[in-house]
Amino acid sequence: MRSPAPGSHFTRSPVVRHSPAHRFPASSPPRTDTVHDDTIRALFPALAESSEVYLDSAATTQKPLPVIETIHRYHSSRTANAGRGAYAWSTELTARVADVRARAAAFLGAQHADEVVFTAGATAALNAVALSWGLAELADGDEILYNPRDHASAVHPWHHLRQVLARFGRRIELVPYRTTELGEADTTDILGKLSPRTRLIVTSHLHHVFGAVTTLEELRGRIDPSVLLCFDCSQSGGHLPVDVTELGADFAVFAAHKMLGAPGVGILYCHRRIHDRLLPFLPGGNSGVRLTESGLVGTAMPDLLEGGTHNIPGILALGSALDVLESFGIEAVAAHNRALTLRLIEGLRAAPGLEFLPGPAHAPCETGYGIVSFRIAGISAADVGFVLGELGFLVRTGLHCTPSAGQGDDDLDSVRVSTHIYNTLDEIDRFTACVTTIAEEVT
C-alpha cells in the first residue's frame, strides 16, 4: 500500500491486537454438522432462485425463510398490538416481544434485558444516544472523540447534536481521531487527544469499509471511568461474536437487517449504569413517561426510549434471525467469513494494478471478518462494479456512506466485497478470477 499523504487520517500501527472473542484459528472451519452449501442456499429464497453471486452483505444480509415466514404470519394470523390489550392476541405478542428482547440481550452479551432498546434501526439508535444522553448530559466545552472515517450514521448524529446545543448556548467540541493502516481506530491518537472534558468516545466495532475490528482494549485502565464508550456494531452483529460486556460498552448499536433480520429494527444497548442519565427519546404513547404537574417524568427502561408502536413483525423476525444464527453457531459464521476473506485476499493479490484499502490484506497475521475493499488502477470503482454486476457478481462501489469522503478522503472510492454464511469458496474463486481478468484488460 502506498505511504499515507501528509495530513492523512491513516497512521501506522506496528502491532495488531484483537480481543480473544475475535480470534479464529486458521484451522477452524464452519461447523459441518450445520453448515452445508446446498442446505444454506435453500434457506435463502432470493439466492435459491438466482444464479447471481451476492457479495454485499455489509449493506444488508439475505433473509432466511424463517424470517420471511414470521413476518407473513404476523400479518396473516392474530394481528394485534403488543402491550396494548388484555386479550390473548395482544398479551401473547407482548410476551413474544419480551422473549426476543431477552434473547437479544443474551446474544450480544448484555447482563440485563432492560439494557436492550428496540429502535427503528442502527441510525435511529445512534441518534437516540445523541438526543437522549447528549442533550441531557453535555455541558459547554465538553468533547466527543469520533472517527471521521466511520459510517455517516456514526458521525452525523454528533454534528447534529452540536448544532442543536449551540442554539441553546452550549458549545461542545467534536475531536476527530485517526485510523491506522490496518483500518483500526488509532488508540494512540485517541489517548493523545483525551482531555478532562472528554465525555464520549465513539467507534466502529467492525469498520464498514476496511473490515477491521476495533475493541479499544488498549484504553482499558488508561482513561477516566467517567468517559463513556459507544460502539457501532452494525457490521459485526450477526457476523462475528460480540460481547458488549467484554467490550466495556456503555452504548452499542446493531442493525437487524444486517443480522439476517428485516429492515426497520435496530438494537440500542444501554448499560444500566447510565439509565438514570437518559431523557425520553420518543415521548408519546407507551413511552415510559408520565405527565405530572411539573412536566414529563421518566419511568423505567427500556420503555423510556421506546415511544410509539413497536415494529412488531420486525422484532419477531429478529427472533427468528437469532434462531438461524444460533443454529449455525456464531463462531462458525465468523470462521466461515474468515476463510472466505483469506481466500479473497489471496486471489486478488494476483490482479495487476489492484490496491487494497486498509484492512486484513495489510495485517501481519491471517485475519478477516468478511469485508475487503480495493481499487484497480486505470478504471473507476463504479465501472468495475458495473462490469461485475453484468457478469453476475453483486458488490458495493463508491464512497460507502463515509462522510469524510469529499474532504480530502476521496481515496475511499473503492469496490467493497462483503460475505456471509451463504457464500462459498467457489464463488470467491470465480469472483477473483473475474476481477483479475478486468485488471489485466485495463493495465
Side-chain angles (χ1 to χ4, degrees):
M1 182 179 179
R2 66 174 184 263
S3 298
S8 167
H9 292 280
F10 290 130
T11 58
R12 186 174 301 278
S13 176
V15 179
V16 182
R17 296 183 179 89
H18 297 290
S19 166
H22 305 305
R23 291 195 184 102
F24 305 103
S27 60
S28 297
R31 276 169 37 191
T32 54
D33 58 327
T34 57
V35 180
H36 298 282
D37 293 349
D38 292 341
T39 302
I40 292 175
R41 196 81 180 181
L43 190 61
F44 295 87
L47 298 178
E49 66 185 22
S50 173
S51 61
E52 293 170 306
V53 177
Y54 186 76
L55 295 170
D56 196 19
S57 290
T60 196
T61 52
Q62 295 299 305
K63 314 308 172 195
L65 273 170
V67 166
I68 297 168
E69 291 168 351
T70 295
I71 294 171
H72 178 265
R73 202 158 46 240
Y74 169 79
H75 289 295
S76 61
S77 175
R78 299 169 71 86
T79 304
N81 205 341
R84 300 295 199 277
Y87 53 92
W89 290 14
S90 177
T91 57
E92 288 171 6
L93 283 172
T94 303
R96 291 176 64 190
V97 169
D99 177 68
V100 175
R101 191 187 306 278
R103 294 186 54 221
F107 186 80
L108 55 91
Q111 297 296 305
H112 309 281
D114 65 2
E115 295 176 319
V116 169
V117 177
F118 292 127
T119 68
T123 299
L126 285 159
N127 277 276
V129 175
L131 298 178
S132 64
W133 170 79
L135 286 180
E137 289 289 303
L138 294 178
D140 195 59
D142 284 348
E143 298 173 354
I144 294 175
L145 271 61
Y146 77 104
N147 187 346
R149 290 200 152 196
D150 280 350
H151 194 281
S153 293
V155 174
H156 288 169
W158 320 116
H159 286 267
H160 176 59
L161 175 62
R162 180 174 63 176
Q163 290 176 315
V164 171
L165 288 174
R167 294 192 175 199
F168 297 93
R170 278 187 284 168
R171 301 193 179 276
I172 65 169
E173 298 295 328
L174 303 181
V175 182
Y177 60 81
R178 294 191 294 257
T179 305
T180 71
E181 286 186 331
L182 301 181
E184 301 169 334
D186 188 335
T187 52
T188 300
D189 191 45
I190 291 174
L191 285 169
K193 290 179 175 176
L194 284 168
S195 84
R197 300 309 301 268
T198 303
R199 297 291 177 261
L200 179 70
I201 302 173
V202 187
T203 196
S204 290
H205 185 220
L206 176 61
H207 198 275
H208 71 294
V209 180
F210 305 142
V213 164
T214 292
T215 64
L216 299 181
E217 61 184 319
E218 297 90 342
L219 303 183
R220 293 173 190 169
R222 303 175 69 182
I223 63 174
D224 191 307
S226 66
V227 177
L228 304 185
L229 302 182
C230 177
F231 288 87
D232 179 3
C233 300
S234 300
Q235 300 297 345
S236 54
H239 295 251
L240 57 121
V242 179
D243 188 322
V244 293
T245 300
E246 181 182 333
L247 286 172
D250 296 285
F251 302 106
V253 307
F254 300 79
H257 74 101
K258 298 185 182 185
M259 301 169 63
L260 307 185
V265 173
I267 296 172
L268 169 58
Y269 165 77
C270 296
H271 195 287
R272 267 190 176 180
R273 64 175 167 254
I274 54 170
H275 284 188
D276 62 354
R277 299 159 63 182
L278 303 175
L279 290 176
F281 174 47
L282 291 170
N286 202 44
S287 61
V289 298
R290 56 189 175 83
L291 186 59
T292 68
E293 291 183 359
S294 59
L296 291 176
V297 177
T299 55
M301 286 281 282
D303 292 345
L304 185 73
L305 302 184
E306 289 188 1
T309 300
H310 288 107
N311 181 348
I312 299 170
I315 292 171
L316 300 180
L318 173 61
S320 297
L322 295 178
D323 287 338
V324 173
L325 288 168
E326 289 171 351
S327 72
F328 296 141
I330 193 62
E331 294 84 3
V333 174
H336 186 68
N337 273 326
R338 182 178 185 275
L340 295 173
T341 305
L342 293 175
R343 186 72 152 255
L344 176 67
I345 292 170
E346 178 186 8
L348 291 177
R349 289 198 193 280
L354 186 143
E355 179 186 22
F356 291 104
L357 267 62
H362 301 281
C365 59
E366 291 189 338
T367 188
Y369 305 97
I371 297 176
V372 174
S373 297
F374 66 89
R375 50 180 166 256
I376 300 173
I379 183 172
S380 71
D383 286 343
V384 174
F386 175 79
V387 174
L388 288 170
E390 291 293 296
L391 297 172
F393 296 99
L394 311 183
V395 296
R396 173 77 180 268
T397 64
L399 299 173
H400 313 292
C401 297
T402 305
S404 65
Q407 302 175 32
D409 282 342
D410 291 336
D411 56 336
L412 289 173
D413 187 22
S414 58
V415 178
R416 183 185 69 188
V417 183
S418 51
T419 63
H420 211 287
I421 193 68
Y422 36 68
N423 293 118
T424 67
L425 292 173
D426 175 68
E427 289 177 337
I428 296 300
D429 290 342
R430 288 190 284 124
F431 174 78
T432 56
C434 184
V435 171
T436 300
T437 299
I438 294 171
E440 289 172 345
E441 291 181 353
V442 299
T443 56

